[in-house]
Amino acid sequence: MQLETASSRRCWLIAAALLPLAPAALAESGSQRRPWPRSRPTPAVELRFANGDSWTPASSVGSPVLLNFWASWCEPCRAEMPSLQALARHRQANGLRVLAINYKESEAAVRRFTGSTGLDLPVLFDPEGAAAKAFGVRIFPSTVAIDRSGRVRFVVTGEFDWNSPLAGRWVSELL
């Protein structure tokens, strides 16, 4: 009986010691990286910026790109935005482009959101959800990683800390 008590006590001590690490582990576990099938080409979508200019994956060949699918009503999307902005600034010199693709919201709603939050990432509009469908996005936020050759490499679903060491390794794969 005393052996069980000592063992239980040891387990509780280990759990208590690891408790401060739990939020980081939970944040990481809320997101998932899945590889893009090699046989599946990069979708040939065309999206529009607020100024009317258009963007296609082919127009970014030569630069690695992260396409972040988001919506202003999505709390995890809003929570993830600051780390995406920091990543964009930090890796801009390496040629990384981070583009925020808004899912099915009006330009007025997006302007209100960007004005109130200070979001300064380039925003593309997906008013019908066609780009999200083409990239297989069903969870928000989702971030599609495209390498310099224009090929999708992986998709990260769920809120993710883009300033983490793991994110640094993933982005380095694209550079």
Side-chain angles (χ1 to χ4, degrees), residues 80-156:
E80 181 182 59
M81 285 293 176
S83 73
L84 278 168
Q85 286 193 149
L87 173 69
R89 287 185 195 112
H90 178 71
R91 296 293 190 132
Q92 183 177 9
N94 300 109
L96 180 68
R97 290 189 72 191
V98 179
L99 303 174
I101 301 177
N102 180 266
Y103 180 74
K104 291 188 173 185
E105 292 185 284
S106 69
E107 286 187 43
V110 172
R111 278 195 204 99
R112 280 191 303 274
F113 176 78
T114 57
S116 68
T117 62
L119 175 67
D120 62 5
L121 292 172
V123 176
L124 293 160
F125 294 90
D126 189 13
E128 305 300 321
K133 184 177 181 180
F135 282 99
V137 171
R138 290 186 217 109
I139 297 171
F140 296 92
S142 283
T143 303
V144 177
I146 303 174
D147 66 17
R148 290 181 186 276
S149 68
R151 183 183 175 298
V152 176
R153 299 284 298 276
F154 57 87
V155 178
V156 177

Side-chain angles (χ1 to χ4, degrees), residues 38-50:
R38 286 197 171 275
S39 61
R40 186 174 174 196
T42 300
V45 298
E46 184 172 349
L47 297 166
R48 185 183 51 77
F49 292 101

Side-chain angles (χ1 to χ4, degrees), residues 155-174:
V155 178
V156 177
T157 56
E159 180 184 342
F160 185 66
D161 179 4
W162 288 99
N163 294 313
S164 69
L166 180 57
R169 288 192 299 275
W170 290 354
V171 170
S172 290
E173 291 176 25
L174 304 175

Side-chain angles (χ1 to χ4, degrees), residues 2 7 9 13 16 20 26 30 50 60 68 72 74 78 100 110 115 123 133 143 149 153 164:
Q2 200 159 24
S7 178
R9 197 173 316 138
L13 287 172
L26 289 174
S60 288
N68 179 258
S72 65
C74 167
R78 293 193 310 258
V110 172
V123 176
K133 184 177 181 180
T143 303
S149 68
R153 299 284 298 276
S164 69

Side-chain angles (χ1 to χ4, degrees), residues 6-90:
S7 178
S8 296
R9 197 173 316 138
R10 198 172 321 123
C11 287
W12 281 108
L13 287 172
I14 290 170
L18 294 176
L19 191 58
L21 301 177
L26 289 174
E28 290 286 328
S29 69
S31 58
Q32 179 183 11
R33 175 186 159 153
R34 59 184 165 83
W36 188 262
R38 286 197 171 275
S39 61
R40 186 174 174 196
T42 300
V45 298
E46 184 172 349
L47 297 166
R48 185 183 51 77
F49 292 101
N51 68 4
D53 290 346
S54 64
W55 177 89
T56 64
S59 69
S60 288
V61 170
S63 297
V65 179
L66 291 179
L67 302 176
N68 179 258
F69 287 86
W70 67 283
S72 65
W73 47 259
C74 167
E75 182 57 39
C77 299
R78 293 193 310 258
E80 181 182 59
M81 285 293 176
S83 73
L84 278 168
Q85 286 193 149
L87 173 69
R89 287 185 195 112
H90 178 71

